Amino acid sequence: MTPCAVPRHVPTPPTERLMMTQTPSAEQISTRVRNTLRSVLGEALDAVADADELRERLGDRFDSLRAVECITRIEEEFGIEVDFVGHDVRYEFASLERIARFVNWQLEDQRAVEGSTAGGH
């Protein structure tokens, strides 16, 4: 019996993240979100539109454990931190569109904090 191959997502290396434009476009973020989650959810994600509710379209493939794995992969890919208490993860991670918007907000917040600390010296 041959073990089933599980697609493995390799996050974008930090050096490559730094080489990317300081502000990724909404399209770039959306593409990276979809590619990152495809490694967790498989090819079934290809049939999901950005605005579709993941739980409705994927059913048991998007259970609570997979949802947590998706959040972890997004954190790794974008270098952000999701606060399970402070952020409404059930809402923000319900569709690809919402995830991309959430990531964009987090990246903007990071840049604002970095800019304010750099200018405050």
Side-chain angles (χ1 to χ4, degrees), residues 2 30 56-57 61-62 78-79 83 91 112:
T2 308
S30 181
E56 286 179 20
R57 294 286 292 165
R61 290 184 196 158
F62 193 68
F78 291 96
D83 179 351
Y91 175 80

Side-chain angles (χ1 to χ4, degrees), residues 2-121:
T2 308
C4 191
V6 176
R8 176 115 171 104
H9 173 71
V10 178
T12 304
T15 52
E16 287 183 31
R17 272 191 239 138
L18 291 174
M19 286 189 257
M20 293 179 186
T21 61
Q22 288 292 343
T23 308
S25 70
E27 184 178 330
Q28 289 170 323
I29 291 172
S30 181
T31 299
R32 284 174 63 191
V33 164
R34 183 175 283 279
N35 290 339
T36 299
L37 297 187
R38 187 177 290 118
S39 69
V40 177
L41 302 170
E43 292 179 7
L45 190 64
D46 295 343
V48 177
D50 288 350
D52 289 348
E53 296 282 326
L54 294 170
R55 183 76 170 117
E56 286 179 20
R57 294 286 292 165
L58 298 174
D60 290 340
R61 290 184 196 158
F62 193 68
D63 61 12
S64 59
L65 293 176
R66 286 275 173 93
V68 170
E69 187 176 353
C70 288
I71 292 168
T72 300
R73 295 282 178 90
I74 291 295
E75 287 177 318
E76 292 170 353
E77 174 64 25
F78 291 96
I80 62 173
E81 187 174 320
V82 177
D83 179 351
F84 283 83
V85 176
H87 297 128
D88 185 358
V89 293
R90 286 186 183 179
Y91 175 80
E92 299 296 353
F93 282 78
S95 71
L96 295 169
E97 182 177 72
R98 289 183 194 164
I99 296 169
R101 185 175 49 226
F102 175 82
V103 167
N104 188 44
W105 290 337
Q106 294 303 303
L107 293 175
E108 286 178 358
D109 285 352
Q110 279 182 351
R111 282 190 294 281
V113 169
E114 290 168 1
S116 68
T117 57
H121 288 85

